[in-house]
Amino acid sequence: MDLTDISEELAHIEGQISDIFRALSNGFQKLEKIKDSNRRSRQLEELTGKLRECKRLIKEFERVMKEEEIRNTHDTNKRLNEKKQSMIKELNSYVALKKQHASENKRLDLFDGPDGGDVFAEENVLLASSMTNQQLMDNGNRMMDETDQAIERSKKVVEETVNVGAETAASLKAQTEQMSRIVNELDSIHFSIKKASQLVKEIGRQVATDRCIMGMLFLIVIGVITIIIVKLVHPNNKDIRDIPGLAPPANRKLL
């Protein structure tokens, strides 16, 4: 099935997976011809990396397939799903083959290990037998000195770690105290703001009351001024009562 007509992205992913499958096939064929356990381990690690990459690409293939599922027909989605299943099946076959070779490689290590150990043991025995007592003592003293130096370095590392821990604890304590002071200051500021808000409200109420009083006084003054003006303009108008202290002057008789 040509995926180029369906999706270029799917076709690109399929091409990468096919390349990895070919590399896996060649790699396992090469692995069967390798007898050295170390080389087999390196080859298995390389093949394991390719298996992980192939698994990632199959998941990416599935993700893109789900994104384009709405745009494709039912038959196309069915063929894509079959293609995915075939790739998963092929990947599982290589995983099983890898497990088989890994178990065989472990058996080889078990068989090869004692022989290799005997070789190194024989070399160490030959080196020790060719050394004099003084050389053996010097070598032992040197190894003890190296051990003591390693212990001293470890002690220094521990002391530095303890000092860093103490400094960190002191710093954390100082920061905690600073945070406590900041919280207390914030509480004080909040209380001050609350008191200021209450004071502003009281001042506002007082100002409103003063304005009402001033308005009433202003109206009274305007009324008095109006009456005075009317009395002065119409002194004989009996409908307007005289204001105490502002009665019109009596008519005086001339002698």
Side-chain angles (χ1 to χ4, degrees), residues 161-172:
T161 305
V162 171
N163 294 332
V164 171
E167 292 176 359
T168 304
S171 177
L172 288 174

Side-chain angles (χ1 to χ4, degrees), residues 160-186:
E160 291 176 357
T161 305
V162 171
N163 294 332
V164 171
E167 292 176 359
T168 304
S171 177
L172 288 174
K173 184 178 179 181
Q175 291 178 1
T176 303
E177 294 175 353
Q178 185 179 4
M179 290 296 295
S180 299
R181 290 194 298 270
I182 292 172
V183 170
N184 294 332
E185 291 176 359
L186 288 174

Side-chain angles (χ1 to χ4, degrees), residues 19-36:
D19 293 339
I20 292 177
F21 281 152
R22 283 192 294 271
L24 288 171
S25 178
N26 295 330
F28 281 111
Q29 290 177 3
K30 181 180 178 181
L31 183 63
E32 292 177 354
K33 299 177 182 179
I34 299 175
K35 302 301 180 182
D36 183 64

Side-chain angles (χ1 to χ4, degrees), residues 65-112:
M65 186 179 70
K66 288 182 179 180
E67 290 179 355
E68 299 183 358
E69 186 176 5
I70 301 175
R71 296 191 295 268
N72 296 330
T73 62
H74 176 72
D75 184 53
T76 301
N77 290 328
K78 183 179 178 182
R79 286 186 295 168
L80 289 174
N81 189 53
E82 291 175 353
K83 182 65 177 177
K84 183 192 73 173
Q85 293 298 330
S86 66
M87 290 189 295
I88 293 174
K89 185 177 180 180
E90 188 172 359
L91 175 62
N92 289 334
S93 65
Y94 284 118
V95 171
L97 191 60
K98 179 254 179 185
K99 290 180 179 179
Q100 179 183 352
H101 284 286
S103 61
E104 291 178 357
N105 196 48
K106 288 181 180 179
R107 286 197 298 270
L108 287 175
D109 290 339
L110 291 174
F111 286 118
D112 293 342

Side-chain angles (χ1 to χ4, degrees), residues 118-132 136:
D118 292 341
V119 171
F120 289 115
E122 290 175 1
E123 289 181 356
N124 291 331
V125 170
L126 291 174
L127 289 174
S129 62
S130 62
M131 296 171 65
T132 63
L136 289 172

Side-chain angles (χ1 to χ4, degrees), residues 31-47:
L31 183 63
E32 292 177 354
K33 299 177 182 179
I34 299 175
K35 302 301 180 182
D36 183 64
S37 59
N38 292 328
R39 291 180 58 193
R40 288 176 63 88
S41 298
R42 288 194 296 269
Q43 182 70 11
L44 280 173
E45 290 178 0
E46 182 180 351
L47 293 173

